[in-house]
């Protein structure tokens, strides 16, 4: 081999290699996943964050295809933003393809991009790579990892996985396949670090089924289950339990309706013909015969569950006797919204069952013992923990060491850091560009630190614009001062403050202490000093001085 | 008895009766606590939230004293804001008094307010009330609950507590006292609901000591322990362990230094004379002989730990070999900041030990089994769960029912809801005013929904001010359009957009389609439509039209 193999994790926010990972050899590269992240709380006004593909744009023609591991937003959500720039073929299993198609259709890209359906029995050859998808268990059916044969050796990318022997879709992990890769010899393992802070094993989806069974067996009123729209497996668990207890099921929330429809069509969800009813037909059945599946687990203000909790959902009016199951966990940063939703549901007299009270949700990611098992099955020469924040990568690296991988063969890196493998071995190479590409409305990457800093300042103390016009000949005040202010004080209750501020400015203008060249600066200084002294707030101040 | 007894929980944010509770009989009332809450994430620019005491201001002379349970911010922090309005005597144990004095001194109130030192052996008579403090275990020494004898019967307020038989300060719970209140007959129990989502019992502080012992026994480098400045008990645990392992201790962070100094002086912290060293003297000792206690557990940007994590702390430069212990849990809403701090510490090569990895922190609040035990010791006729969000109150109420209190004798209420007790029994009475009184700089309660909404809008998409001057005779444009904008787009990269916006405005002004009366509105509409269409953002738009 003459060229080095290069592996480069890319991602939007703080998780390394979460949304995209590049595998490059010579003139060819493939990407695993192309997802988005939701903004952190201090990314004010940002819709979401996508991977920085500057490196691919700088090397046109390098990327030959994107291999998707599963259909969650953080793995497919950036496709509509990246594909117009880099229109390459996609490779995905059937359900994942279905979820991608919904996105590409909305973005009017469906006829421009080729999506290749792959199965765990297929192998795809692209340039120097042969790519073999393998089945993994995750919180969505049809999830895969990839075995990528390269001239430098075999690369295993686990995708997101847990080892669940009794998963909701009935397809246990393919231990034999993983072990056979290990037997063949693996150069490098890239493995899911999400739960490397958790000891032991992640419980099976079965305990969720058992919790559902217990609740459905005891409750006589309506049962409303809230989960992620993409959690098709969880919906199947609700269907199974509802069926057993002779309840019909209504689906609420646009994304949930779309996904369920698609999954039913493709056979990834199965339900008796007459079981799923329209939300408008709820009244045709007694409460004890009704279940509802809806979105809103993160307390999103416009979601179905939150509108129900706030009595703003006109089709579902919650009342005493109803039971709401929150079958998800709060993503860090969303806790306040989730807690508020829970409180509001309890205020309606509804019984609410959530993870702290009963195991109505389990993680879709491997905990420490499973991560260890993966390392022992694959027995890689090198190990790159991915899909986690930096601390999780460090903890996963320790598990790798405990599993016998030499410390110098483990790479804990940041997004944008290339790792190369050649005849000499593996080493940390150069960095490629990797910033936070923030999407805000139609703008992709145009909001940077300056705009964010201004939004932050405005969010704290607002702004004040002061407008004056002065005579161009003698500099005397002929108009103003006039104020525009928002987010600083409630103007109607602050007349005195505003009047006094005006007097200060008139004094300044008439004092002869300022002249045309410095008027704007003097105005700002005078005003900001006065306002700070009176309020201990620091609004952004903008003087407008017109000469007329 | 002729008057009803009234109990009214008051509080700033979502927790009921967390910061203040009123006990009223006839013309007299006492308050338990007077604390503040930190703002929720969507209270933009707010410093903190204090109880709404409109009811007390409307009834001057009613409040006779404030009884403080312990020295945490959420129980004493609002005193500097409330006391100038309602200057009543305070009652607190010695350590709590010390912590209050620091606050009142800063606020120049120390000589205006009488603070009465109380002990668990004392009883205070005020009007119709006799108030007996009793010892409870919490994450700060000298914490008490109150037995309040009233003409209507005995009221027990638990304060914040857990049942810890091996607490850090060596003072176990006073079961006998609690049981004897129960024997005497208790009208109503107000009890801490913070951990009513947690099954079982809260572990003893002893497991933290054991974890510290294990870490100090194994580590050779420096050990840095971060905890709340008010967690005097935790500091004592660090002192004890450091002493055993022959390490000196440096205290870092202004509030931590102040509190430790005061607690040492009052005898609530004990340490050998030469054990506590100045931070500047760290280099006089080998790494294996050093421990540091500091603030920063919530990832506060200006705290000692965060500055260390960002390499911005000029006295403590962290390096490989150091071990940081995060001895606290993230308050909901702070997770992102805490996670960022952990990641940055790991990036420095420091070993970091936090709650997910080892029991280096335990809660100071009773879990379900302890809450049950409290109910069984006190055996109250009525029960009001307090100090928790609504869902926690509901869960605590269920524990009350399980402990044999009839459902109709349990009051789950919101802040501001009075509950009355008379010859007929207890019932929900009228509501008193209870809003969110937000403190922002010097302003107390002046920031309301309008200002917050504007801050929210500004934080999302910023603002645009457009200034034009028109001839007062013929309305022709004589100046502008000029733009001021922040937080919307990065102006330097958006020249084309701004130029086009200017053209639209010039077109409008010269088209004859607008005239002086509608110019401002037309300007705003034209601009907002154009900008939305081009960016899908909705900045706040302010037109300034001068006639000259």
């Amino acid at each position: 081999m003459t060229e080095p193999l290069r592996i480069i994790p890319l991602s939007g926010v703080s998780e390394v290699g979460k949304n995209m990972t590049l595998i490059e050899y010579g003139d060819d590269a493939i990407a695993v996943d192309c997802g988005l992240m939701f903004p952190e709380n201090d990314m004010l006004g940002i819709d979401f964050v996508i991977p920085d593909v500057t490196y691919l744009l700088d090397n046109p023609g390098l990327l030959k295809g994107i291999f998707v591991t599963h259909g969650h937003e953080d793995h497919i959500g950036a496709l509509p933003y990246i594909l117009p720039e880099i229109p390459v073929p996609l490779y995905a299993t059937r359900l994942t393809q279905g979820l991608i198609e919904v996105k590409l259709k909305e973005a009017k890209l469906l006829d421009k991009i080729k999506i290749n359906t792959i199965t765990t029995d297929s192998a795809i050859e692209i340039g120097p790579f042969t790519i073999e998808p393998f089945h993994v268990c995750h919180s969505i059916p049809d999830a895969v990892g990839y075995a990528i044969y390269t001239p430098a050796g075999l690369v295993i990318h686990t995708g997101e996985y847990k080892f669940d022997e009794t998963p909701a879709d009935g397809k246990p992990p393919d231990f034999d396949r993983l072990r056979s890769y290990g037997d063949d010899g693996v150069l490098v393992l890239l493995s899911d670090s999400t739960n490397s802070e958790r000891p032991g094993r992640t419980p099976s989806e079965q305990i969720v089924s058992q919790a559902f069974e217990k609740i459905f067996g005891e409750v006589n009123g309506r049962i409303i289950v809230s989960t992620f729209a993409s959690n098709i497996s969880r919906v199947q668990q609700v269907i199974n339990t509802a069926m057993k207890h002779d309840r019909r099921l209504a689906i609420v929330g646009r994304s949930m309706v779309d996904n369920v429809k698609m999954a039913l069509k493709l056979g990834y969800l199965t339900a008796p013909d007459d079981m799923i009813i329209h939300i408008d037909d709820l009244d045709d059945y007694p409460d004890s015969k009704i279940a509802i599946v809806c979105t809103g687990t993160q307390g999103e203000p416009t979601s179905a569950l939150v509108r129900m909790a706030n009595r703003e959902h006109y089709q579902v009016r919650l009342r005493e006797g109803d039971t709401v199951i929150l079958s998800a966990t709060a993503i860090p940063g969303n806790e306040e919204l989730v807690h508020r939703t829970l409180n509001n549901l309890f205020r309606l007299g509804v019984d609410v069952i959530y993870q702290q009270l009963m195991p109505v949700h389990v993680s879709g990611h491997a905990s420490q013992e499973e991560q260890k098992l993966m390392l022992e099955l694959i027995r890689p020469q090198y190990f790159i923990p991915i899909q986690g924040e930096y601390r999780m990568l460090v903890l996963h690296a320790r598990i790798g060491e405990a599993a016998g991988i030499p410390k110098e063969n483990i790479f804990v890196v940041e997004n944008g850091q290339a790792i190369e493998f050649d005849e000499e071995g593996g080493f940390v190479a150069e960095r490629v560009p990797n910033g936070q590409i923030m999407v805000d409305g139609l703008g992709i990457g145009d909001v940077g630190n300056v705009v964010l800093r201004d939004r932050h300042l405005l969010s704290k103390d607002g702004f004040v614009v002061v407008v004056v016009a002065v005579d161009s000949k003698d500099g005397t005040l002929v108009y103003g001062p006039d104020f525009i202010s928002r987010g600083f004080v409630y103007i109607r209750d602050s007349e005195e403050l505003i009047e006094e501020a005006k007097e200060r400015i008139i004094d300044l203008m008439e004092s002869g202490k300022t002249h045309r060249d410095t008027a704007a600066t003097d105005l700002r200084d005078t005003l900001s000093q006065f306002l700070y002294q009176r309020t201990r707030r620091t609004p952004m101040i903008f003087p407008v001085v017109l000469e007329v």
Side-chain angles (χ1 to χ4, degrees), chain A:
Chain A
M1 97 187 167
T2 51
E3 308 272 1
L5 170 73
R6 285 158 61 87
I7 296 179
I8 313 174
L10 293 174
S11 194
V13 194
S14 51
E15 295 188 66
V16 178
K18 177 83 176 180
N19 309 129
M20 192 178 221
T21 302
L22 299 182
I23 320 277
E24 181 188 349
Y25 187 86
D27 298 330
D28 298 288
I30 58 169
V32 177
D33 291 331
C34 186
L36 60 79
M37 295 299 276
F38 291 97
E40 299 180 355
N41 275 328
D42 53 6
M43 294 181 180
L44 299 172
I46 298 302
D47 300 328
F48 33 78
V49 185
I50 60 173
D52 184 344
V53 291
T54 307
Y55 177 70
L56 294 173
L57 295 171
D58 290 346
N59 293 278
L62 178 66
L63 189 71
K64 300 300 192 294
I66 300 175
F67 288 76
V68 182
T69 60
H70 62 284
H72 284 156
E73 279 300 313
D74 44 354
H75 298 265
I76 67 172
L79 287 169
Y81 301 93
I82 306 287
L83 288 175
E85 304 281 319
I86 309 170
V88 295
L90 307 180
Y91 300 84
T93 55
R94 193 65 199 91
L95 177 66
T96 308
Q97 180 180 359
L99 291 160
I100 291 172
E101 281 168 353
V102 173
K103 294 209 162 293
L104 297 194
K105 199 171 170 186
E106 269 178 26
K108 298 193 173 45
L109 286 168
L110 199 51
D111 52 351
K112 296 193 183 74
I113 299 297
K114 171 142 181 63
I115 312 183
N116 302 282
T117 316
I118 57 175
T119 71
T120 53
D121 297 325
S122 61
I124 304 98
E125 291 192 20
I126 294 186
F129 306 113
T130 302
I131 301 109
E132 233 177 63
F134 57 86
H135 167 66
V136 295
C137 298
H138 189 44
S139 47
I140 185 168
D142 234 12
V144 295
Y146 288 104
I148 304 161
Y149 292 90
T150 80
L154 177 55
V155 178
I156 300 287
H157 187 302
T158 63
E160 300 197 329
Y161 77 98
K162 64 175 173 178
F163 287 129
D164 188 344
E165 322 250 356
T166 50
D169 63 3
K171 293 180 186 161
D174 191 349
F175 290 109
D176 289 346
R177 176 89 78 102
L178 294 172
R179 188 175 289 110
S180 83
Y181 292 136
D183 292 342
D184 293 347
V186 172
L187 177 70
V188 53
L189 169 70
L190 292 89
S191 185
D192 178 1
S193 309
T194 310
N195 274 353
S196 58
E197 287 174 306
R198 292 205 202 172
R201 293 187 61 130
T202 303
S204 165
E205 290 290 324
Q206 199 174 32
I207 73 162
V208 175
S209 293
Q210 286 162 356
F212 284 178
E213 177 58 34
K214 186 165 156 43
I215 298 164
F216 277 67
E218 286 173 1
V219 166
N220 280 315
R222 299 185 296 182
I223 299 176
I224 297 94
V225 184
S226 178
T227 191
F228 285 111
S230 60
N231 201 336
I232 304 291
S233 308
R234 196 60 50 80
V235 176
Q236 184 69 59
Q237 290 176 293
V238 179
I239 290 176
N240 296 348
T241 320
M243 202 158 58
K244 209 163 146 190
H245 293 271
D246 197 25
R247 285 178 186 252
R248 305 297 171 102
L249 188 67
I251 317 288
V252 181
R254 196 183 60 89
S255 54
M256 185 67 90
V257 170
D258 289 350
N259 285 352
V260 166
K261 203 176 285 176
M262 198 265 299
L264 280 169
K265 201 178 103 193
L266 297 181
Y268 286 93
L269 268 182
T270 52
D273 273 353
D274 59 346
M275 181 181 177
I276 293 182
I277 61 170
H278 195 276
I279 187 69
D280 290 336
D281 299 336
L282 278 183
D283 291 343
D284 297 351
Y285 303 87
D287 287 359
S288 63
K289 297 295 165 205
I290 289 174
I292 295 171
V293 167
C294 69
T295 53
T297 59
Q298 300 305 304
E300 310 93 319
T302 59
S303 68
L305 185 67
V306 172
R307 284 185 291 133
M308 290 179 203
N310 298 343
R311 287 205 180 283
E312 287 163 2
H313 198 288
Y314 78 107
Q315 288 155 315
V316 185
R317 308 285 296 179
L318 294 183
R319 53 180 185 251
E320 219 161 315
D322 291 336
T323 299
V324 170
I325 302 174
L326 198 74
S327 183
T329 195
I331 295 172
N334 294 349
E335 288 82 357
E336 279 180 5
L337 291 176
V338 174
H339 292 166
R340 230 174 264 178
T341 306
L342 290 174
N343 291 337
N344 288 337
L345 288 168
F346 274 114
R347 284 190 177 100
L348 297 179
V350 168
D351 194 18
V352 192
I353 299 172
Y354 49 107
Q355 218 186 345
Q356 278 88 336
L357 308 183
M358 250 177 111
V360 288
H361 174 70
V362 289
S363 168
H365 298 272
S367 296
Q368 290 173 357
E369 293 305 314
E370 291 153 279
Q371 293 175 335
K372 215 176 280 175
L373 178 55
M374 179 64 87
L375 282 152
E376 280 159 4
L377 289 167
I378 300 295
R379 289 153 283 156
Q381 199 181 338
Y382 294 94
F383 172 38
I384 308 176
I386 56 167
Q387 293 168 337
E389 295 185 35
Y390 198 89
R391 67 185 186 285
M392 301 169 187
L393 306 186
V394 172
L395 297 173
H396 202 178
R398 289 183 188 167
I399 293 169
E401 281 186 70
I405 301 176
K407 193 171 182 173
E408 59 274 18
N409 286 11
I410 302 176
F411 300 103
V412 172
V413 298
E414 306 273 2
N415 285 311
Q417 178 62 60
I419 300 160
E420 287 193 4
F421 299 89
D422 62 15
E423 294 87 345
E424 314 266 302
F427 55 92
V428 171
E430 93 281 8
R431 288 186 57 81
V432 308
N434 190 80
Q436 294 187 321
I437 308 298
M438 294 181 270
V439 177
D440 181 5
L442 295 182
I444 302 174
D446 72 320
V447 172
N449 287 336
V450 174
V451 174
L452 277 189
R453 193 204 55 206
D454 288 344
R455 287 182 183 174
H456 182 70
L457 291 173
L458 290 169
S459 79
K460 274 193 53 153
D461 285 328
F463 73 91
V464 178
V465 173
V466 53
V467 184
V468 296
V470 296
D471 187 298
S472 60
K473 290 176 216 92
D474 57 11
T476 54
L477 193 65
V478 295
Y479 173 87
D482 247 19
F483 286 91
I484 301 170
S485 174
R486 288 293 187 285
F488 165 50
V489 294
Y490 188 46
I491 294 290
R492 288 199 198 178
D493 291 345
S494 311
E495 277 177 35
E496 208 178 306
L497 181 76
I498 302 295
E499 278 314 309
E500 211 178 319
K502 282 187 183 173
E503 278 165 34
R504 297 286 174 114
I505 289 166
I506 292 169
D507 286 351
L508 171 78
M509 304 299 289
E510 292 179 349
S511 66
K513 280 187 195 138
T514 182
H515 72 85
R516 55 208 297 177
D517 296 344
T518 62
T521 314
D522 292 341
L523 266 179
R524 173 159 43 215
D525 292 350
T526 302
L527 196 56
S528 81
Q529 210 177 344
F530 169 72
L531 295 177
Y532 179 75
Q533 175 213 325
R534 289 290 298 274
T535 65
R536 289 287 182 279
R537 296 178 197 168
T538 51
M540 297 183 95
I541 294 178
F542 305 96
V544 178
V545 182
L546 263 61
E547 294 189 17
V548 293

